[in-house]
Amino acid sequence: MQHGGAGDDDGGCDARPGFMTDGIVAGTRIATAGGWRDVDALCPGDLVLTFDDGLVPIVAVQRHRAAAGPGAWPAAHWPLRVPEGALGNRRPLLLMPDQRLVVDSDLAEALIGDAFPLIPARALAGWRGIAPALPDPGIATAVPMFADEQVIYAASDVLMHCPPAAGPADPIAARPPRYIALSPETAAQVVACLAAEEVGAALAAAPRRDQAAFGRDANRP
């Protein structure tokens, strides 16, 4: 279930009848003008550090809490647990499967012509130890929204996409997108190529390490 409707923009949490697949999980640390703060503590007017525009004020925050227990949450839509350091995060991180991220990659630029595409988190499963995880009961999310779509800094160096807030005479659908959002299939292909590239680099480095170790052993008396 995607976030939809007006949600709750005044600091409360609306309970979803089922489960969520997007949004930033409560407790995730976000870079702001006042330092790192939990996403669920952010309010309209707070200045957040963005990837393209520096400090930008939040227009609205949608907050949701899942009503479904872990047993009623389909495994195909479980959050993903990100090990420390896998995406530049300083501590383990939980991502909703359809939360879009920017993964900076020269390989992505070669494949699709953009080094900063938006990739759904579910496409990262299996890469660098990232794996689905059974959601905690009552898991909550927050969605900071800005006058225009933005990419913000989370958990140190993780780049997360945030949607724009629609004004009364400014429908979101009429705005040209700022970022290229990859389909799940294309995103999976890009991540598979990234994983293969890392494996290739590790294999290429192995003979050099073995040769260096052999040299050290040969010089021992």
Side-chain angles (χ1 to χ4, degrees):
M1 180 183 296
Q2 300 266 341
H3 287 299
D8 193 334
D9 298 340
D10 61 1
C13 246
D14 75 324
R16 308 301 287 177
F19 56 92
M20 300 96 66
T21 63
D22 59 1
I24 302 176
V25 177
T28 302
R29 304 285 279 173
I30 303 298
T32 75
W36 293 93
R37 297 176 59 193
D38 289 355
V39 66
D40 39 311
L42 299 179
C43 299
D46 287 342
L47 293 174
V48 171
L49 182 62
T50 68
F51 184 59
D52 288 303
D53 298 324
L55 292 171
V56 176
I58 294 174
V59 173
V61 182
Q62 290 189 349
R63 310 175 196 276
H64 304 286
R65 185 180 301 278
W73 200 306
H77 300 300
W78 282 4
L80 292 105
R81 192 166 300 281
V82 182
E84 180 181 352
L87 298 176
N89 47 307
R90 294 182 179 175
R91 63 184 68 179
L93 178 67
L94 200 63
L95 296 173
M96 300 308 292
D98 290 329
Q99 172 61 45
R100 291 173 174 173
L101 311 173
V102 168
V103 177
D104 182 4
S105 168
D106 292 338
L107 181 59
E109 185 172 23
L111 290 172
I112 62 173
D114 192 321
F116 306 104
L118 298 178
I119 293 178
R122 66 172 70 245
L124 303 176
W127 184 46
R128 297 181 177 177
I130 299 171
L134 184 69
D136 293 330
I139 187 173
T141 62
V143 184
M145 306 177 79
F146 303 87
D148 201 353
E149 64 177 319
Q150 297 288 351
V151 169
I152 65 175
Y153 291 86
S156 187
D157 289 329
V158 182
L159 297 171
M160 294 191 180
H161 177 259
C162 293
D170 183 22
I172 293 175
R175 305 183 191 180
R178 298 187 72 186
Y179 308 98
I180 295 177
L182 301 186
S183 68
E185 296 76 18
T186 301
Q189 291 174 0
V190 168
V191 174
C193 289
L194 290 172
E197 184 180 49
E198 291 180 350
V199 170
L203 291 174
R208 293 194 295 270
R209 290 196 299 267
D210 293 343
Q211 185 176 13
F214 176 78
R216 289 194 299 270
D217 292 341
N219 291 329
R220 290 177 181 172

